[in-house]
Amino acid sequence: MVRKGSVAADIGTDHAYLPAYLVLNGISPKALACDVRRGPLENAKKTVDSYEIEDKITLRLSDGFDKIEPFEADDFIMCGMGGTLMEQLVSRTHWLKDKRKRIIVQPQSHAEDIRRFFVENGFKILFEDACIDCGKLYCAMAAEYTGEITKKSVSYIYSGELSKCRKKEAKMFLESINSRLKKKLDAERVHGSADTAEYLEKVTLELEETINGMQTDSKKHL
Ligand SMILES: C[S@@+](CC[C@H](N)C(=O)[O-])C[C@H]1O[C@@H](n2cnc3c(N)ncnc32)[C@H](O)[C@@H]1O
């Protein structure tokens, strides 16, 4: 999802595997590897040293985007954090509302929080992808600021553009989200509020329809 030729900034980089991959594979000429803690940045330094890419990767101690200047990168990546934290970090960084910049996220949980932020704040989710690694399902998405706010269905924050991804992993991902929401719905019906139950019923029915309408290719990737 990182555009070829773009300078990348990986927020929450830990071992800097992603920036290393991007520069070693000629996708990014250079990259920033940022983390809020010193320990992960030490891991990052080991990776950078071992591949001798010190001239291409800048290590940066930064809480979210706080210590990054807008002109320093084109594509900004956050992987492995929760969607709620991602939403907090992106929402306080107003300069990300720039049509030239791309935000790429792989939320570990609560993907709906970052999708909701994108939808409500004029960012367009361009596409999404899903995969399985070590038996665990992951999803990732790329978004850009357009300034336009378009009305979405009630379940969009849960499905996003994954419904258009033709990989079986995308369908599996949405099935797992919907089964979690259905459990929540059952619990709400017993102990919770009627309004929440009504909302969840609408979301799960819509998601079911979306999932049933998904086309998957036999090949691994679109
Ligand atoms: C689970 S690791 C993910 C590492 C890597 N991005 C990946 O996907 O494999 C999360 C990383 O995010 C960092 N992190 C957490 N909160 C952060 C914040 N506010 N700003 C920058 N980094 C943060 C943590 O220190 C940790 O290194």
Side-chain angles (χ1 to χ4, degrees), residues 10-14 34-37 40 62-64 79-81 85 89 106:
D10 187 27
I11 317 296
T13 197
D14 198 357
C34 313
D35 209 286
V36 72
R37 295 187 297 127
S62 175
D63 184 358
C79 297
M81 297 174 194
L85 175 61
L89 300 181
Q106 178 264 302

Side-chain angles (χ1 to χ4, degrees), residues 79-216:
C79 297
M81 297 174 194
T84 315
L85 175 61
M86 290 173 171
E87 190 259 326
Q88 287 163 10
L89 300 181
V90 175
S91 66
R92 70 180 195 222
T93 312
H94 301 291
W95 52 259
L96 286 170
K97 287 187 170 177
D98 179 335
K99 292 178 181 172
R100 293 163 299 181
K101 306 213 177 288
R102 177 173 287 191
I103 307 172
I104 297 155
V105 297
Q106 178 264 302
Q108 205 66 13
S109 61
H110 297 290
E112 67 276 14
D113 287 346
I114 186 70
R115 281 203 199 91
R116 185 186 298 107
F117 172 82
F118 285 147
V119 166
E120 290 177 354
N121 290 277
F123 289 84
K124 180 177 165 57
I125 302 173
L126 305 172
F127 47 86
E128 299 202 26
D129 202 350
C131 71
I132 298 184
D133 189 45
C134 293
K136 205 169 173 320
L137 279 162
Y138 295 90
C139 81
M141 67 193 87
E144 286 174 16
Y145 182 70
T146 63
E148 284 164 35
I149 298 173
T150 50
K151 189 152 172 53
K152 300 285 186 196
S153 67
V154 70
S155 63
Y156 184 81
I157 59 166
Y158 295 98
S159 58
E161 298 296 319
L162 259 189
S163 56
K164 295 192 193 130
C165 175
R166 297 176 69 99
K167 284 163 71 180
K168 70 174 187 318
E169 290 86 347
K171 195 166 185 174
M172 288 163 73
F173 194 95
L174 290 186
E175 282 165 349
S176 84
I177 296 286
N178 207 22
S179 106
R180 240 185 313 129
L181 289 173
K182 280 180 182 168
K183 281 188 192 132
K184 261 178 115 171
L185 169 61
D186 289 342
E188 281 300 326
R189 277 184 176 140
V190 180
H191 311 288
S193 81
D195 283 355
T196 310
E198 193 186 329
Y199 165 76
L200 285 171
E201 191 165 343
K202 206 164 170 201
V203 170
T204 51
L205 280 172
E206 243 183 57
L207 272 180
E208 189 121 359
E209 247 178 64
T210 303
I211 293 164
N212 289 337
M214 279 172 83
Q215 309 273 334
T216 53

